[in-house]
Amino acid sequence: MVIGILLAVVAGLAIGTNPISPVRVLAGLFGDDPEARTVVIGNRMPRVVLAIVIGAALGLAGHLMQSLTRNPLADPGLLGIQAGASAAVVSAIAFFGITNPGGYAWFALVGAAAGALVGYGLAAVGRGSASPVRLILAGTAISGALYSYVSGVLIVQPFTFSAFRFWEIGSLTTRDLSVTGGVLWFVVPGILLALALAAPLNGLALGHETAIALGVRTVRTQVLALVAVVLLTGGATAAVGPVAFIGLAVPHLSRALVGPDHRKGLPMSILAGILMLQLADVVGRVIAWPQEIGAGIVAAVVGAPVLVYLVRTGKVGRL
């Protein structure tokens, strides 16, 4: 996995509208070739770093979501988090005139948190705790309502669509290191919190009653896991827009490699998420060269057959 990530990073630094060889990539990184240094460090390194941060966040968020909801087909968008971010971004563009990624990142973070909070609140209303089924139903309802709001704004204010679509396709282009630095404040705490929950999540995987018997504080574990998902997904979505299927496919790959133990699975999901998003970004540069296709579109095109394959072959992993 680590070797695959290194090869994908080299490809990300070498491939683009002005492709260069791996030798010149090394010259740009460690030598005195000014042209290669400009291409590698000035133009492509920020994009590779962003792919590493966002891939790690989405892979880990997907693993947490599937563990939290006990649903192998769950992804970070299920609880209304990405829908909340989309609603906030379209509002920022339509009503505040903000059109650059750095400007509406905070709107996306607040929207993601609000979407998750409302979804969890709806699931927790009434008797009993926020069960996995109630979380899924509440998240689906919130997502539907928020995406209807997004569609309504785009229809009423068509000038908003032009700026919104560049964010919505999940592209890593036109993002500099300042965007990456901004989301690190959310992604790093989210990663640390998620890794700290590995043992309680193992207990929760044995069932609610068994987890309580083992001393796991189930409600606190669910709430902290949800906070970690919001930090990871909110930060990632704010930076590059919604990226589908990374959070869905990565946990299955992780469990296939290291099994259902969260102490191994969560770190593996970080590595697998980095690899998948980096590869999606590189493929997006190649298949339409010299133009580019957003990594979010490539991930969705590749991920859809993977999802169908998992369902039809019954290889959806046990949680």
Side-chain angles (χ1 to χ4, degrees):
M1 184 66 70
V2 174
I3 294 175
I5 291 174
L6 291 176
L7 293 175
V9 167
V10 172
L13 295 175
I15 297 173
T17 53
N18 177 25
I20 60 176
S21 67
V23 174
R24 292 199 69 196
V25 168
L26 294 177
L29 291 173
F30 307 110
D32 55 358
D33 185 336
E35 182 182 353
R37 179 175 290 274
T38 299
V39 172
V40 172
I41 296 180
N43 296 335
R44 294 175 187 162
M45 183 62 78
R47 185 166 175 171
V48 168
V49 172
L50 183 60
I52 291 173
V53 173
I54 302 306
L58 292 176
L60 191 55
H63 201 122
L64 282 177
M65 276 299 302
Q66 293 186 6
S67 301
L68 187 64
T69 61
R70 311 298 306 149
N71 184 343
L73 299 181
D75 69 6
L78 197 61
L79 283 181
I81 298 172
Q82 290 186 344
S86 296
V89 168
V90 79
S91 299
I93 297 171
F95 305 122
F96 298 96
I98 300 172
T99 57
N100 66 82
Y104 47 64
W106 284 99
F107 284 87
L109 283 167
V110 172
L117 184 63
V118 173
Y120 187 83
L122 288 176
V125 169
R127 295 181 178 178
S129 60
S131 66
V133 174
R134 293 169 71 172
L135 283 171
I136 293 172
L137 292 175
T140 302
I142 291 296
S143 296
L146 290 174
Y147 281 128
S148 296
Y149 166 76
V150 170
S151 299
V153 172
L154 294 178
I155 291 173
V156 174
Q157 300 192 23
F159 67 90
T160 304
F161 178 76
S162 180
F164 182 72
R165 67 190 177 95
F166 284 108
W167 178 82
E168 193 180 35
I169 61 174
S171 175
L172 301 177
T173 61
T174 70
R175 270 67 163 175
D176 55 28
L177 286 177
S178 65
V179 174
T180 306
V183 300
L184 280 178
W185 292 100
F186 305 93
V187 172
V188 171
I191 290 175
L192 296 176
L193 178 58
L195 295 178
L197 293 173
L201 287 173
N202 276 343
L204 209 58
L206 300 175
H208 189 75
E209 301 299 330
T210 304
I212 293 177
L214 292 174
V216 176
R217 300 172 67 175
T218 56
V219 174
R220 188 182 73 166
T221 301
Q222 285 181 323
V223 171
L224 291 179
L226 185 62
V227 170
V229 171
V230 170
L231 290 172
L232 294 167
T233 309
T237 306
V240 302
V243 178
F245 289 105
I246 297 290
L248 173 62
V250 162
H252 294 288
L253 176 60
S254 172
R255 284 190 290 271
L257 293 175
V258 298
D261 189 340
H262 290 86
R263 291 170 298 183
K264 299 177 182 177
L266 293 175
M268 181 57 70
S269 287
I270 293 176
L271 298 178
I274 293 172
L275 178 60
M276 289 191 68
L277 186 57
Q278 188 64 63
L279 288 177
D281 187 39
V282 171
V283 171
R285 301 183 212 176
V286 173
I287 58 177
W289 192 89
Q291 304 299 318
E292 295 186 10
I293 296 178
I297 297 176
V298 176
V301 170
V302 175
V306 172
L307 175 61
V308 173
Y309 172 78
L310 289 172
V311 173
R312 290 187 60 85
T313 60
K315 292 186 177 181
V316 176
R318 183 176 63 87
L319 295 174

